[in-house]
């Protein structure tokens, strides 16, 4: 359950490490997996230089306001088959206005509920769906 001032980990390689939710879009209540939110980048990820290839540039900087999709929540979710699932942290993926992920790689699992909410581009980049 993500609401105003909730802190989330950013699991893509866009350059953000920790973001803070400032708005939940198209909902009056708290957001959950698959919902779109507006975030502010609080902590920037520092990439080590890649030897001969140079350094990887960050696509976002601290203080940037971006849209994001929630991919994991701590709150337990009930699935239609009767099982329930919860994660260790709250996590999101940064997206642009049209809904495409800013990063090109994800590190960490994402919830399968994204499939029902048409976030197939995020599912294709993720290493594992739970």
């Amino acid at each position: 359950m993500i609401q105003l001032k909730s802190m989330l980990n950013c699991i893509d390689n866009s350059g953000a490490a920790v973001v803070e939710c400032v708005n939940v879009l198209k909902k009056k209540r708290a957001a959950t997996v698959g919902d779109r939110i507006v975030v502010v980048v609080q902590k920037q990820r520092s990439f080590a230089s890649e030897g001969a290839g140079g350094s990887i540039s960050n696509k976002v900087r601290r203080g940037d306001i971006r849209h994001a999709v929630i991919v994991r929540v701590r709150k337990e979710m009930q699935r239609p088959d009767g099982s329930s699932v919860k994660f260790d942290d709250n996590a999101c993926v940064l997206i642009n206005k049209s809904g495409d992920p800013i990063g090109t790689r994800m590190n960490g699992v994402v919830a399968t509920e994204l499939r029902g909410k048409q976030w197939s581009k995020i599912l294709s980049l993720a290493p594992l769906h739970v």
Side-chain angles (χ1 to χ4, degrees):
M1 304 301 253
I2 307 300
Q3 57 191 359
L4 182 68
K5 295 287 199 179
S6 294
M7 302 297 273
L8 300 96
N9 294 328
C10 186
I11 64 164
D12 57 8
N13 65 344
S14 60
V18 177
V19 297
E20 178 184 341
C21 176
V22 293
N23 192 11
V24 177
L25 298 175
K26 297 184 180 178
K27 273 193 154 185
K28 291 286 186 195
R29 59 184 187 276
T32 185
V33 172
D35 292 338
R36 200 168 173 158
I37 59 174
V38 179
V39 297
V40 175
V41 178
Q42 293 293 327
K43 199 178 284 185
Q44 204 171 340
R45 183 166 285 137
S46 59
F47 291 113
S49 61
E50 293 290 319
S55 64
I56 301 171
S57 63
N58 290 346
K59 296 178 180 122
V60 296
R61 303 185 63 75
R62 187 177 180 278
D64 281 0
I65 299 171
R66 297 291 172 134
H67 285 221
V69 175
I70 301 170
V71 295
R72 293 194 303 248
V73 289
R74 274 195 172 141
K75 177 72 174 160
E76 198 170 86
M77 294 179 293
Q78 194 73 28
R79 290 196 169 153
D81 65 353
S83 63
S84 62
V85 63
K86 67 187 266 188
F87 296 97
D88 288 340
D89 64 340
N90 297 321
C92 69
V93 172
L94 297 183
I95 58 173
N96 57 20
K97 297 279 187 185
S98 62
D100 299 326
I102 293 175
T104 56
R105 194 179 288 164
M106 312 249 168
N107 46 6
V109 300
V110 299
T112 312
E113 279 80 6
L114 292 172
R115 182 172 286 121
K117 299 193 177 180
Q118 278 71 42
W119 293 109
S120 56
K121 288 183 183 175
I122 294 172
L123 281 169
S124 65
L125 291 174
L128 186 66
H129 319 140
V130 176

